[in-house]
Amino acid sequence: MTPFTAPFFEHPGPRAFHKTFRSGIPKMVWTVLLLATLYSCGVSKSLKDLPELGNYQNEIPQRRQLSDSSFTIGHNFLSKNRQGLWELYVDGDPLEIGLKTGSLTQELFQFQERAFINKINELVPSEGKQKLLKKFLAWYNRKMYRNIDTRFKAEIYGLSRYASKNYDHIATPYLRVLYFHGAHDIGHALQDLALVGCSSFATWGNKTADGKLLIGRNFDFYAGDDFAKNKIIAFIAPDKGHNFMSVTWAGFIGVLSGMNDQGLTVTINAGKSSIPLVAKTPISIVAREILQYAGTIDEAIAIAKKREVFVSESIFVGSAKDKKAAIIEVSPEKFGVYEVDNNGQLICANHFQSAAYAQDKANTKHILESHSQYRYERMEELLGQGPKMTPESAVEILRDREGLGDKAIGYGNEKALNQLMAHHGIVFQPEDLRVWVSSNPYQMGEFVAYDLQKVFAQKGSVDGIPKLATAEKNIPKSAFLETAAYEAYGSYKSLNKEVSKAIASKTHLERSLLVDFEQSNPEFWEVHYLIGQYYLQRGYDTLALSAFRKAAEKEVTTVPDREKVAKLIHKLERRL
């Protein structure tokens, strides 16, 4: 990860990249970047900051390689399971955890960094703009180091010792990894779009089969296919605080989805953000602090209140001790908590629900114009159907690809709960300390079950690596993977890239390819929109109008998208 990559990776998928970079980075963003580089106050000090390491273990044993996918350091280990998920166990003080994690995952870490570099070279090929963006990130992140606890900075420093040497000319390894932890925040802050489609829900009491708290969540984050290949299920036993697990990737200590040994769960959902002028505490670090040090909802709220964030975010917290869930809604200016009164059900999309944001204009606009409210209503609809909730039925909701009323809205539509591109899906059963994590592809692969009590009790040994999953509790892969529709979606993804590339480069496509593209995902509005754009560019106005009309008949994702299609139709109707 490099300082200039962060703004580009909080997106729901390739469509967002196409929209954002169809004409390059928006001029408004470049203006902000240019102005920022003119004011370098505070940058020098932040670039020289290093965490205090004197009280920590600075050396670790050498890593042992047992196979091409199994590594140990004493009883700490990294191993790949049969579902393709990497399982990591590490313990110790902050620096020790960072060093062990970096050593065990070094190949994965360097692969992730290379994937980011390749993506940024693709999106911003101009060396001059890359340099400008690099300077901006140094300026933008000038106060981040003040807002991250020294223990977490020590862990990041240990991890950074195993970063690739190939990018040291861009920034020091420590700074690169530190900035990496603001990627989630900076991405939707600079875009001012918050186009992530994360969906979360919790049920308990008379809503679940056993009366216990049950939580489901999809994390929609896409930074290219390479980035999504190596998911890590990390089990961390720190010297202070609670043992916990989280779903992550190499080079990242923050938390996006996780549960600790107190039965407290944390997930994060992006909200509508304006562009802040300075980075402070990354939301993933706030989530990590909650997971490591909180055991109840009140303790989680207290931690969130004391941290200054720089974007708007919903922190969805479930608690075995409280036997319920709550949403902590944070932003640079406001703080709210949303809870429900004993109805046993809590839903979270990408808009705020607490009283603190009731009159917030940006949030209200987001509800009206985005796909957040639609996904909220779809979760509400599915939770109201059928028998009481079980882990298996929670997984079915996370895998749902249809629209309201089971309407076919096209595969990959951001109004769907499963947009067939999410980084991971996860189900928590906090009172039993059980968790189920999705495997590839998307959330359609087997959901692997883990029991935190067993995991942290058995650890590992220098002679081998224990089996962490509770295999008999795994939830089977989706039957959808054996269908023609799934095979067609694979064709759609490759054809989408080809059509988008032809539009960007103004090159010719055979008519048969456009027919195949339309048939690969016929209910998705954007297929017809892209075909219309291609025809419009080539001067085939009648064919373009027909394609745009088809797009308008489908479930268009957002109000701005719907208006865009309507304007094109009106323009062509007047011309013809």
Side-chain angles (χ1 to χ4, degrees):
M1 175 63 186
T2 70
F4 55 71
T5 57
F8 305 105
F9 295 99
E10 185 59 31
H11 295 278
R15 297 187 306 279
F17 286 122
H18 294 155
K19 291 174 185 176
T20 304
F21 293 95
R22 195 169 286 139
S23 301
I25 296 177
K27 291 181 180 179
M28 176 273 296
V29 174
W30 284 120
T31 301
V32 172
L33 302 185
L34 183 59
L35 290 174
T37 59
L38 300 177
Y39 300 93
S40 58
C41 180
V43 174
S44 178
K45 189 173 182 179
S46 70
L47 296 178
K48 296 175 182 177
D49 177 70
L50 289 174
E52 174 56 50
L53 305 175
N55 296 324
Y56 301 134
Q57 176 62 41
N58 195 38
E59 298 294 333
I60 59 170
Q62 188 171 356
R63 183 183 76 167
R64 294 180 60 211
Q65 182 169 351
L66 306 183
S67 71
D68 61 353
S69 59
S70 296
F71 307 87
T72 64
I73 297 176
H75 60 264
N76 297 253
F77 60 85
L78 173 73
S79 183
K80 195 173 189 178
N81 66 20
R82 66 178 179 83
Q83 292 84 5
L85 299 171
W86 291 93
E87 297 172 344
L88 172 72
Y89 175 89
V90 291
D91 59 15
D93 65 39
L95 180 60
E96 197 176 3
I97 286 175
L99 291 168
K100 289 177 179 177
T101 301
S103 177
L104 289 167
T105 67
Q106 57 192 272
E107 290 83 6
L108 301 180
F109 184 6
Q110 292 175 19
F111 181 90
Q112 295 294 120
E113 190 164 22
R114 186 166 61 252
F116 273 104
I117 294 295
N118 291 341
K119 179 58 68 174
I120 215 59
N121 288 338
E122 174 189 335
L123 298 176
V124 189
S126 165
E127 185 177 341
K129 288 185 176 180
Q130 286 185 4
K131 288 180 178 178
L132 181 62
L133 198 52
K134 171 187 168 183
K135 290 179 180 179
F136 166 74
L137 264 297
W139 174 84
Y140 189 78
N141 288 319
R142 67 195 184 279
K143 293 186 180 179
M144 184 184 287
Y145 76 99
R146 298 183 190 173
N147 289 277
I148 297 179
D149 185 87
T150 185
R151 290 176 61 85
F152 295 139
K153 289 198 293 183
E155 186 174 334
I156 290 170
Y157 181 85
L159 185 64
S160 73
R161 294 256 297 266
Y162 295 88
S164 172
K165 302 298 183 184
N166 295 332
Y167 311 116
D168 287 358
H169 64 284
I170 297 169
T172 65
Y174 172 65
L175 277 178
R176 296 204 310 268
V177 180
L178 186 71
Y179 291 166
F180 172 82
H181 290 79
H184 173 95
D185 314 65
I186 297 170
H188 73 76
L190 287 187
Q191 301 289 344
D192 189 27
L193 295 176
L195 287 175
V196 283
C198 301
S199 304
S200 308
F201 62 85
T203 56
W204 62 91
N206 62 10
K207 299 282 188 178
T208 60
D210 59 5
K212 296 178 180 178
L213 178 62
L214 189 67
I215 298 165
R217 167 304 203 284
N218 281 338
F219 181 65
D220 294 324
F221 179 99
Y222 187 90
D225 292 339
D226 281 348
F227 179 84
K229 283 180 181 177
N230 297 308
K231 300 177 181 67
I232 296 175
I233 317 303
F235 297 89
I236 312 296
D239 62 342
K240 292 185 179 180
H242 308 300
N243 297 339
F244 64 91
M245 66 75 59
S246 74
V247 184
T248 186
W249 50 78
F252 188 69
I253 76 159
V255 166
L256 308 165
S257 304
M259 178 168 68
N260 67 24
D261 60 9
Q262 305 299 298
L264 187 98
T265 70
V266 179
T267 64
I268 55 177
N269 287 32
K272 182 69 173 178
S273 284
S274 58
I275 300 178
L277 293 177
V278 63
K280 293 191 177 178
T281 311
I283 199 70
S284 67
I285 297 295
V286 178
R288 164 67 185 271
E289 186 173 1
I290 290 172
L291 198 61
Q292 187 169 339
Y293 295 107
T296 65
I297 291 172
D298 284 345
E299 289 174 359
I301 292 170
I303 290 171
K305 268 186 176 178
K306 72 180 182 181
R307 295 301 177 196
E308 285 190 80
V309 299
F310 59 104
V311 293
S312 302
E313 200 86 17
S314 293
I315 304 173
F316 195 97
V317 179
S319 168
K321 293 179 179 178
D322 297 303
K323 300 184 185 300
K324 65 176 183 178
I327 305 172
I328 305 170
E329 298 177 342
V330 299
S331 70
E333 296 85 20
K334 299 175 184 176
F335 186 95
V337 177
Y338 180 72
E339 299 183 82
V340 292
D341 295 327
N342 300 318
N343 71 354
Q345 179 174 296
L346 185 65
I347 299 173
C348 180
N350 293 104
H351 59 271
F352 294 141
Q353 303 174 66
S354 68
Y357 295 88
Q359 304 301 319
D360 187 277
K361 292 181 180 179
N363 187 53
T364 300
K365 184 179 180 183
H366 191 53
I367 292 171
L368 294 173
E369 295 188 351
S370 76
H371 44 77
S372 182
Q373 181 65 29
Y374 190 97
R375 284 182 289 105
Y376 183 98
E377 291 173 6
R378 180 59 174 165
M379 282 186 278
E380 199 170 38
E381 184 176 73
L382 292 172
L383 288 167
Q385 296 174 358
K388 295 181 178 181
M389 194 62 53
T390 64
E392 290 77 11
S393 57
V395 166
E396 285 306 303
I397 290 177
L398 296 182
R399 288 173 170 169
D400 184 69
R401 303 169 301 284
E402 313 304 327
L404 288 169
D406 296 330
K407 178 182 178 181
I409 61 175
Y411 297 128
N413 195 317
E414 291 159 78
K415 284 188 170 180
L417 298 182
N418 186 346
Q419 301 166 20
L420 294 176
M421 62 183 65
H423 185 269
H424 65 265
I426 191 165
V427 171
F428 299 105
Q429 207 166 36
E431 291 165 71
D432 294 331
L433 292 181
R434 294 188 186 277
V435 58
W436 288 260
V437 182
S438 68
S439 58
N440 289 337
Y442 318 115
Q443 297 98 308
M444 295 297 164
E446 190 172 11
F447 269 66
V448 183
Y450 298 95
D451 182 324
L452 263 62
Q453 280 185 307
K454 291 182 179 179
V455 169
F456 287 110
Q458 64 185 346
K459 297 184 180 179
S461 73
V462 294
D463 299 319
I465 294 176
K467 299 288 186 183
L468 297 189
T470 309
E472 66 274 14
K473 295 286 186 179
N474 288 0
I475 297 173
K477 69 178 183 179
S478 172
F480 176 70
L481 295 179
E482 307 300 326
T483 66
Y486 175 70
E487 186 176 349
Y489 182 71
S491 298
Y492 155 76
K493 286 190 71 177
S494 60
L495 289 170
N496 184 299
K497 292 178 182 177
E498 198 165 345
V499 173
S500 297
K501 184 177 179 181
I503 294 171
S505 60
K506 299 183 179 180
T507 54
H508 173 73
L509 292 172
E510 294 297 327
R511 177 70 185 274
S512 59
L513 185 144
L514 294 172
V515 171
D516 290 344
F517 182 44
E518 182 175 359
Q519 292 176 349
S520 69
N521 200 358
E523 296 303 321
F524 188 28
W525 75 274
E526 195 173 76
V527 169
H528 307 286
Y529 173 76
L530 287 174
I531 292 172
Q533 286 283 23
Y534 172 79
Y535 282 137
L536 183 63
Q537 187 185 83
R538 308 297 290 182
Y540 302 141
D541 288 1
T542 301
L543 290 173
L545 178 59
S546 175
F548 289 138
R549 283 173 173 168
K550 286 182 181 179
E553 292 170 358
K554 306 302 179 181
E555 190 65 59
V556 180
T557 307
T558 66
V559 170
D561 283 333
R562 196 179 308 130
E563 291 174 347
K564 177 173 58 180
V565 173
K567 286 179 181 178
L568 287 166
I569 291 172
H570 180 67
K571 176 182 177 180
L572 286 170
E573 285 176 339
R574 292 187 63 183
R575 184 186 298 176
L576 294 170

